[in-house]
Amino acid sequence: MEAATAVSAFGTTTTSSSSLYPGAARPRRLLVTPAAWRGYRTPPLRAVASSRATIVVSNPPPPPPPPPPSSAPAGVAHSKVDRSGRFCSPRAARELALMISYAACLEGADVVRLFDRRIKARSETGFVFDKTCVLNYNHMSFGGGPLEVGTEEEAEKLNSQNEKDSANEAEVLSAPPKLVYNNFVLRLARENLVAVASGWDKHVDIINKITPQNWKDEPIARILELCILHIAMAEMTSKGTPHKVVINEAVDLAKRFCDGGAPRVINGCLRTFVKDHMNIDPSQPAPAESKA
């Protein structure tokens, strides 16, 4: 199989093949795979459909306790939407910044310019977005170990629900941003991306020092993980967000969109960054946290 062109996050070109990018400039940042770019609609992050836990049929587990009564529709508690039916939480802003960073790596574009282009882009002819997708979206849906069920029927039911949830997530993540996020989230996401761009070169060198060797050996498989590190490091240094908040958010993003031990590695990398490059003891709360 012909090797794909890739410019690593660590500043070196690994291989070259101009035939993969006919008529287009080679990507400049992070790593690149030959993926088609379709207007403003970003391809869903790689683990949206694979972040669901495996389902294993075994002896019936003990029944879970009944959920507390609630008058809110299913999914509303997870979505954090405003009265217009759009996301309004900082977590949504970080997810949006991650999607734009990921897409910028695939396209070889500047993250801020790509964000602005997506915001200004018009919807495709005939595109209709169902806002109930936002209400059913769960920012806290993480992968995990296998789920045990008692019967094949229960397994089929859970698999069916997983497919619906994955399709819902893909619809939300690929929709035009103005339909999904309110102005607060759009502004916060852009601020994060401006911070990422301004601190990029400095953070590339730091990431090269704090990431494990196997990530450096296969950078093309670590686009999302590297983007999460850039976003977290930029938010801590440029925006002054308390380091524990940023690290927890970065680990949660890794749990949602990355594979294997990425959350643990990202946690370790960011704690090292806080200790060695920000001269802060990561075990101690930041001043802003102690007041809360």
Side-chain angles (χ1 to χ4, degrees):
M1 179 178 180
E2 187 177 6
T5 300
V7 180
S8 80
F10 315 111
T12 57
T13 302
T14 55
T15 58
S16 175
S17 175
S18 59
S19 63
L20 292 175
Y21 301 95
R26 281 185 185 150
R28 299 183 300 279
R29 287 296 190 187
L30 264 179
L31 17 137
V32 183
T33 56
W37 178 258
R38 301 183 181 222
Y40 62 82
R41 293 173 66 80
T42 307
L45 301 185
R46 75 160 179 255
V48 167
S50 62
S51 62
R52 307 292 173 189
T54 306
I55 298 171
V56 178
V57 179
S58 64
N59 293 328
S70 173
S71 58
V76 172
H78 300 301
S79 299
K80 294 188 178 179
V81 299
D82 62 11
R83 292 181 179 179
S84 70
R86 294 176 174 87
F87 290 132
C88 58
S89 69
R91 172 159 294 191
R94 293 183 179 99
E95 283 192 5
L96 177 57
L98 176 59
M99 284 187 289
I100 296 296
S101 298
Y102 177 72
C105 293
L106 295 181
E107 192 185 42
D110 177 85
V111 290
V112 180
R113 291 181 182 178
L114 178 58
F115 176 85
D116 291 341
R117 195 167 79 229
R118 286 204 67 197
I119 296 301
K120 295 176 182 178
R122 296 182 178 180
S123 300
E124 296 173 351
T125 303
F127 175 76
V128 178
F129 179 68
D130 183 0
K131 283 198 172 183
T132 60
C133 293
V134 174
L135 294 178
N136 293 325
Y137 187 86
N138 184 0
H139 289 294
M140 301 295 290
S141 176
F142 303 140
L147 297 177
E148 293 190 359
V149 295
T151 66
E152 292 286 351
E153 182 179 356
E154 291 176 357
E156 290 178 4
K157 186 176 180 180
L158 284 176
N159 277 322
S160 176
Q161 185 61 47
N162 282 347
E163 292 175 2
K164 291 179 181 178
D165 290 342
S166 294
N168 187 82
E169 289 176 346
E171 184 69 15
V172 169
L173 295 177
S174 63
K178 283 189 175 181
L179 298 181
V180 178
Y181 308 97
N182 70 4
N183 289 334
F184 164 75
V185 170
L186 295 176
R187 183 176 68 253
L188 185 57
R190 192 181 191 280
E191 289 174 357
N192 287 342
L193 292 172
V194 169
V196 167
S198 64
W200 186 277
D201 292 335
K202 178 182 178 181
H203 292 155
V204 162
D205 294 333
I206 296 174
I207 288 173
N208 188 38
K209 296 176 182 177
I210 64 178
T211 49
Q213 186 61 46
N214 64 313
W215 282 24
K216 301 173 192 177
D217 293 339
E218 52 172 8
I220 204 161
R222 298 296 175 183
I223 299 177
L224 283 170
E225 289 86 343
L226 295 169
C227 286
I228 290 172
L229 288 175
H230 272 287
I231 291 169
M233 291 162 64
E235 185 172 356
M236 284 189 285
T237 55
S238 296
K239 303 194 66 178
T241 308
H243 62 268
K244 284 194 173 182
V245 172
V246 175
I247 292 175
N248 287 340
E249 289 291 303
V251 169
D252 282 351
L253 283 175
K255 288 178 180 177
R256 275 190 59 69
F257 299 118
C258 303
D259 300 326
R264 177 181 53 80
V265 175
I266 284 175
N267 178 66
C269 288
L270 291 177
R271 288 174 66 85
T272 299
F273 172 73
V274 168
K275 180 180 178 181
D276 296 348
H277 299 277
M278 297 183 67
N279 299 316
I280 298 173
D281 183 353
S283 64
Q284 298 298 319
E289 292 176 303
S290 61
K291 297 177 183 178

